[in-house]
Amino acid sequence: MAELKDAHQDLVACTHCDALSPKPKLAPGHKAICSRCDNVLLVYKKDSINRTLAIATAGLVFFVPAMTLPIIGVGLVGLYNEASLVECIQDLVANDFPVMALCTFLFTIAIPFVRLFTAFVVTVSIKLGMYTPGLLQFFRSYHTLDKWVMLNVFLLGVIISMYKITDLAELSVGLGLLAFTGYLICSTFISVTFDPHYVWDKLEYELARTNR
């Protein structure tokens, strides 16, 4: 059974056609292509841990101002109002839209934050050599949440709303929108720099060595 498990660890499955191929040893910046369908099997990203840690740290710095500072201000007939993302969610609840408020909270605050925080904790743990069985379980949450981040959808909705009312009212861009844009950029670039294959291999190797 142990030999069969070790054999499977030397294989990689294509996510497109399910073909099994020997797991290649790649140099940084190189990628492996499936021999059957030409789909990308593995990509060895350059300096993944340091780059991901830097971007995750910047994203967490942007998080608080992005959530609490005003996003846009609207002025009309002498009245002016501005609101942050948190205040928008509070207004949805106050106006009897609890489901919309919950979805906005989950997809623009909770899930993106947990995803960024997971990337931060995993990369810091690898750099410091702190490997625990719980870290492997914690890393699985990154894969679970990766497809549920919708910051770009929210930003697109804000831009469309601003475009529609620009002729009807006086608009001003708040610091919250700038911070939210930075937060979105960091969240997007995490997917570019983070190398889950390397992290899986690193965690499994270190945990197996610790348990010997």
Side-chain angles (χ1 to χ4, degrees), residues 70-83 158 161-162 165-166 168-174:
I71 297 177
I72 59 173
V74 180
L76 183 64
V77 294
L79 300 177
Y80 182 80
N81 188 29
E82 59 183 10
V158 171
S161 300
M162 293 176 64
I165 65 176
T166 186
L168 303 176
E170 178 184 351
L171 296 180
S172 63
V173 176

Side-chain angles (χ1 to χ4, degrees), residues 44-64:
Y44 191 163
K45 299 180 180 180
K46 296 181 179 179
D47 199 16
S48 172
I49 299 301
N50 289 324
R51 294 167 67 188
T52 301
L53 177 58
I55 294 174
T57 302
L60 293 176
V61 170
F62 278 123
F63 176 77
V64 174

Side-chain angles (χ1 to χ4, degrees), residues 14-199:
C14 176
T15 57
H16 184 71
C17 68
D18 294 328
L20 290 176
S21 305
K23 192 172 184 178
K25 293 183 179 180
L26 301 175
H30 290 194
K31 60 183 178 181
I33 304 297
C34 178
S35 58
R36 177 188 293 177
C37 67
D38 293 332
N39 183 53
V40 177
L41 291 177
L42 293 173
V43 178
Y44 191 163
K45 299 180 180 180
K46 296 181 179 179
D47 199 16
S48 172
I49 299 301
N50 289 324
R51 294 167 67 188
T52 301
L53 177 58
I55 294 174
T57 302
L60 293 176
V61 170
F62 278 123
F63 176 77
V64 174
M67 300 300 115
T68 58
L69 293 179
I71 297 177
I72 59 173
V74 180
L76 183 64
V77 294
L79 300 177
Y80 182 80
N81 188 29
E82 59 183 10
S84 65
L85 179 56
V86 173
E87 291 171 339
C88 291
I89 295 176
Q90 292 173 344
D91 288 340
L92 288 173
V93 174
N95 289 280
D96 297 327
F97 292 104
V99 176
M100 188 175 298
L102 177 62
C103 291
T104 304
F105 172 75
L106 288 177
F107 299 134
T108 62
I109 297 181
I111 293 177
F113 175 78
V114 173
R115 179 173 171 271
L116 269 177
F117 185 70
T118 299
F120 175 81
V121 170
V122 170
T123 51
V124 167
S125 299
I126 291 177
K127 283 188 66 67
L128 298 180
M130 300 169 56
Y131 301 99
T132 62
L135 187 62
L136 194 60
Q137 300 295 330
F138 190 62
F139 178 56
R140 287 193 175 97
S141 65
Y142 178 89
H143 291 279
T144 304
L145 300 176
D146 195 34
K147 305 300 182 182
W148 292 96
V149 177
M150 298 187 181
L151 296 174
N152 56 332
V153 177
F154 179 83
L155 182 61
L156 180 62
V158 171
I159 294 174
I160 293 175
S161 300
M162 293 176 64
Y163 174 77
K164 287 186 175 181
I165 65 176
T166 186
D167 294 331
L168 303 176
E170 178 184 351
L171 296 180
S172 63
V173 176
L175 293 177
L177 183 59
L178 300 179
F180 187 87
T181 302
Y183 184 55
L184 169 62
I185 292 173
C186 291
S187 180
T188 302
F189 270 89
I190 281 290
S191 301
V192 177
T193 61
F194 202 46
D195 191 342
H197 294 290
Y198 171 80
V199 173

